[in-house]
Amino acid sequence: MTGPVVAEKPRTRVESAPPPVSAGRSPGHAVARRRIGAALRPVSWALAGLLLAGLAWSAVVATGHFPRQLFPSVPEILAAGRSLWDSGLLGEDLLASLRRAAAGFVLGAAAGTAVAVLTATTAPGRRLLQPVLRVFSPIPTIGLVPLAILWFGLGEDSKILVITLGVFVPVWINAHAGLATTPIDYLQAARCLGAGRGQTLARVVLPEAAPDIVAGLRVGAATAFVLIVVAEMTGTTAGLGYRIYQAQLFSQADRLIFCLLVLGAIGALCDLALHTLTAPFTRWAKEQH
């Protein structure tokens, strides 16, 4: 025997009212402002750091413990840079150095990544090629400059060779480490799903090693700008390295420091560009961590 049936009252759905929007401002406008603010925040911190470094340098110069010829003030450094720009030397030096650094970086990065695939995923590469590279990698690249000059002379080829070898080492080390440490579970899962060797490399190994490969590329890019100074000190008449060497010979500390700052700024911009271009390939690593 069942009890009396009680009819339920119909439930009315109460929708929450949308938050009030101030006149003249849409939600999309607020989101855009937040995104712009987040993008400009690192730039603001960088500018603040540069300002702090300039104030610290000015404080050291103001003490008078160092000769002004060796420790120029910030206005004197900027005036030297303006002089280089007005004479047309700075633009010529920038183009020459960027051309050499870009050529050496592309060649070194391509060779380092390709060789890392061989040493990390093939038995001949692991047994024959990897020991040779282990012996070669600790050799300072600067020590190879005389050998490059003997082989290729004082032309462009020797300078690009030095940068290429310097970029090759960090790219190969990082890429090999990432490719050789792929979790065995990933490889077994790909094998169970019927993936071939090429598919496993392209769909599993390379994406998993992408953060290490990108790290090697960023270190290689920084190395290219370090070696450009050494490579341009002989056999050239244009380039930031040549300009730094000439400033050292004639005791022009203001020009020397300005060229070093320009080299550092270009290196930082290239690193930022490389990080932005490779971010889609390493987004999963950022989300994981």
Side-chain angles (χ1 to χ4, degrees):
M1 182 175 180
T2 59
V5 179
V6 180
E8 295 184 358
K9 296 181 180 180
R11 299 179 180 178
T12 58
R13 183 179 178 182
V14 180
E15 296 183 355
S16 58
V21 179
S22 58
R25 292 186 180 181
S26 61
H29 180 74
V31 172
R33 288 188 60 187
R34 285 196 297 269
R35 289 180 178 177
I36 294 175
L40 293 179
R41 193 173 298 115
V43 178
S44 302
W45 281 107
L47 293 177
L50 292 175
L51 179 61
L52 198 60
L55 292 175
W57 180 271
S58 300
V60 172
V61 173
T63 59
H65 293 299
F66 304 98
R68 291 293 293 270
Q69 186 178 3
L70 300 180
F71 274 78
S73 63
V74 173
E76 290 172 344
I77 296 173
L78 296 178
R82 179 64 181 271
S83 175
L84 286 173
W85 178 260
D86 292 339
S87 63
L89 296 176
L90 184 59
E92 184 181 354
D93 293 336
L94 282 173
L95 291 177
S97 295
L98 286 175
R99 183 176 64 251
R100 294 166 183 144
F105 172 75
V106 171
L107 293 175
T113 306
V115 173
V117 173
L118 293 176
T119 57
T121 62
T122 65
R126 184 167 53 251
R127 296 171 183 173
L128 298 177
L129 192 57
Q130 183 177 349
V132 177
L133 294 175
R134 293 294 183 190
V135 175
F136 166 76
S137 57
I139 299 177
T141 308
I142 297 176
L144 299 176
V145 173
L147 183 61
I149 294 176
L150 284 176
W151 283 353
F152 298 97
L154 296 174
E156 294 293 314
D157 293 340
S158 61
K159 297 171 180 54
I160 295 176
L161 176 63
V162 170
I163 299 172
T164 299
L165 294 176
V167 172
F168 171 85
V169 174
V171 172
W172 171 72
I173 290 176
N174 284 271
H176 173 85
L179 294 168
T181 56
T182 304
I184 191 65
D185 296 341
Y186 294 178
L187 301 178
Q188 291 177 349
R191 192 177 299 113
C192 292
L193 293 174
R197 189 179 184 87
Q199 288 180 320
T200 302
L201 176 63
R203 305 286 296 274
V204 178
V205 178
L206 285 175
E208 200 277 333
D212 297 282
I213 296 175
V214 170
L217 292 176
R218 296 179 68 178
V219 175
T223 305
F225 285 98
V226 172
L227 293 175
I228 196 66
V229 177
V230 180
E232 291 180 341
M233 283 186 175
T234 55
T236 184
T237 57
L240 291 174
Y242 168 77
R243 200 62 54 193
I244 290 172
Y245 180 64
Q246 290 294 309
Q248 183 264 328
L249 286 179
F250 295 100
S251 299
Q252 297 172 326
D254 49 359
R255 285 194 172 192
L256 193 153
I257 294 172
F258 180 80
C259 290
L260 289 175
L261 292 175
V262 171
L263 199 61
I266 295 175
L269 291 175
C270 290
D271 179 76
L272 180 61
L274 191 60
H275 171 69
T276 304
L277 291 174
T278 56
F281 303 100
T282 57
R283 187 177 292 113
W284 63 269
K286 295 179 182 178
E287 293 176 354
Q288 180 179 355
H289 293 88

